Amino acid sequence: MLPFDFEYYRPQSLQEAVDLFQSLQRQGKQSMIFSGGTELLTLGRIDLAFTEAVIDIKDIPECNSLQVNEQRLLLGSALSLTKIEEANVFPLLTKISSGIADHTAREKITLGGNICARIFYREIVLPFLLADSQVLLSGPLGERIVSIHDVFQEELRVEPGEMLIQLAMESKYIRAPFYAFKRRQQWETGYPLITIAALKIDQRIRIAISGLCPFPFRSQEIEASINHKGRTIEARIDGALAVLPQPILADVEGSAEYRLFVLHNLLFDVLAALDQVQG
Ligand SMILES: Cc1cc2nc3c(=O)[nH]c(=O)nc-3n(C[C@H](O)[C@H](O)[C@H](O)COP(=O)(O)OP(=O)(O)OC[C@H]3O[C@@H](n4cnc5c(N)ncnc54)[C@H](O)[C@@H]3O)c2cc1C
């Protein structure tokens, strides 16, 4: 149970959702997009989230798209993680998705909700960062399609009232060799100590990480060191560890030193899995 009441709206189209947001804004009501709704339930119960109205986007057709063809993969933001796993169109995405929470929670948690979540792990974004995805956003100022790298820096940075509608990528990425591993400190379904995702494309390894810093990221500096073929594997990994973003998390899950130790080993695993394969 949440300790406050809120108005619930379930628009049937994008335009209706945008109109609703603007109408609530004119009335001076605080509103939020609601997709799986797990964050409002989790944080609202402990007084860390509050809203006067929610706009549930689950019935908007564009948010439920799932299309794959020779050219591209397109996914709607309201698809649940279990739907994404069942479709299994992008094996790296399936692997990352199936490591998040438990099956029951994944039936609720959505692609867009995880990317836009306040709880900072946002693991599902990792494959989209690796695949240089395109993002469709819609809001009071209209629609726009942008590179994920332009709007996702640590978190999704969008205009007020703007919604994440779809993500798309070229289909070459869904067939590329990959490696992914989620290292947890506690339980089998907890948040990650570190989750690493790697993809080999055009003979280069790409790496994205969640759980190391208080945001998920992909770093060109890390990739430059990891792909520096003239050096020993140890030197490539040491070089990557020297250019990590800051701060490194230190919390009940593990100290910063322990996380760096785990990352060091995971980078070895990435290179063992992908260095010699064609991709
Ligand atoms: C038991 C449990 C374990 C979990 N473990 C993990 C884990 O290990 N790793 C991990 O990454 N996550 C984990 N999560 C999920 C995470 O903490 C969030 O609860 C979840 O990602 C939110 O997704 P949702 O679809 O429910 O989004 P919602 O709760 O509906 O929304 C989350 C936020 O995003 C905004 N939003 C939602 N959709 C859109 C959109 N389309 N456009 C713009 N803004 C939008 C909302 O306004 C809200 O602020 C776990 C959750 C639970 C309940």
Side-chain angles (χ1 to χ4, degrees):
M1 280 285 285
L2 289 174
F4 53 88
D5 293 328
F6 53 84
E7 294 170 20
Y8 176 83
Y9 298 96
R10 196 154 172 152
Q12 303 295 303
S13 71
L14 272 180
Q15 192 56 52
E16 198 187 328
V18 172
D19 292 346
L20 257 170
F21 172 79
Q22 289 177 309
S23 153
L24 289 163
Q25 207 180 29
R26 278 194 299 274
Q27 295 167 49
K29 284 190 183 147
Q30 189 180 331
S31 68
M32 70 184 288
I33 305 295
F34 184 96
S35 195
T38 60
E39 192 160 273
L40 183 61
L41 286 179
T42 312
L43 299 182
R45 280 190 197 128
I46 51 173
D47 277 344
L48 289 177
F50 172 78
T51 188
E52 292 170 288
V54 302
I55 302 174
D56 187 339
I57 60 169
K58 276 197 289 292
D59 284 350
I60 298 176
E62 290 89 336
C63 297
N64 287 296
S65 302
L66 198 165
Q67 295 167 20
V68 60
N69 59 34
E70 280 303 303
Q71 280 73 46
R72 67 170 191 170
L73 168 66
L74 184 146
L75 295 168
S77 63
L79 291 171
S80 69
L81 299 190
T82 49
K83 274 208 184 112
I84 287 171
E85 285 159 59
E86 281 156 19
N88 193 20
V89 282
F90 180 14
L92 171 59
L93 181 64
T94 306
K95 177 109 194 254
I96 294 292
S97 177
S98 60
I100 295 174
D102 54 41
H103 191 271
T104 309
R106 291 201 300 278
E107 284 185 341
K108 294 263 175 256
I109 298 169
T110 61
L111 178 54
N114 190 253
I115 290 177
C116 299
R118 273 168 57 192
I119 298 174
F120 56 65
Y121 296 98
R122 306 179 194 116
E123 288 177 78
I124 207 73
V125 81
L126 302 179
F128 294 97
L129 292 174
L130 294 177
D132 293 337
S133 302
Q134 297 286 302
V135 171
L136 171 64
L137 301 164
S138 178
L141 299 176
E143 289 190 359
R144 57 184 177 128
I145 296 175
V146 289
S147 161
I148 193 161
H149 303 302
D150 292 338
V151 282
F152 193 93
Q153 288 116 19
E154 304 186 0
E155 61 184 346
L156 194 76
R157 295 169 190 271
V158 294
E159 300 296 326
E162 208 168 29
M163 293 168 283
L164 171 59
I165 307 300
Q166 292 171 341
L167 295 113
M169 67 182 68
E170 288 177 55
S171 59
K172 66 177 183 179
Y173 293 105
I174 69 183
R175 295 186 292 265
F178 71 91
Y179 176 85
F181 194 82
K182 178 168 183 168
R183 178 67 196 268
R184 293 184 191 84
Q185 188 63 350
Q186 310 177 48
W187 311 298
E188 287 199 349
T189 56
Y191 286 96
L193 182 73
I194 296 183
T195 297
I196 195 162
L199 193 85
K200 190 153 187 191
I201 196 92
D202 302 331
Q203 290 310 314
R204 283 178 67 82
I205 297 172
R206 299 178 174 195
I207 294 175
I209 299 172
S210 165
L212 181 71
C213 302
F215 46 82
F217 66 89
R218 177 180 162 202
S219 149
Q220 288 187 355
E221 290 81 5
I222 292 174
E223 289 174 13
S225 182
I226 287 295
N227 286 293
H228 198 134
K229 288 274 186 169
R231 301 163 86 187
T232 63
I233 287 198
E234 193 64 60
R236 288 157 70 186
I237 292 174
D238 285 348
L241 294 177
V243 292
L244 293 173
Q246 299 295 323
I248 305 300
L249 281 170
D251 55 23
V252 286
E253 303 283 337
S255 64
E257 292 70 27
Y258 183 58
R259 279 189 161 86
L260 292 173
F261 167 77
V262 170
L263 178 64
H264 180 270
N265 292 341
L266 287 173
L267 289 173
F268 260 106
D269 295 343
V270 167
L271 284 169
L274 296 180
D275 208 23
Q276 301 305 324
V277 299
Q278 296 292 314

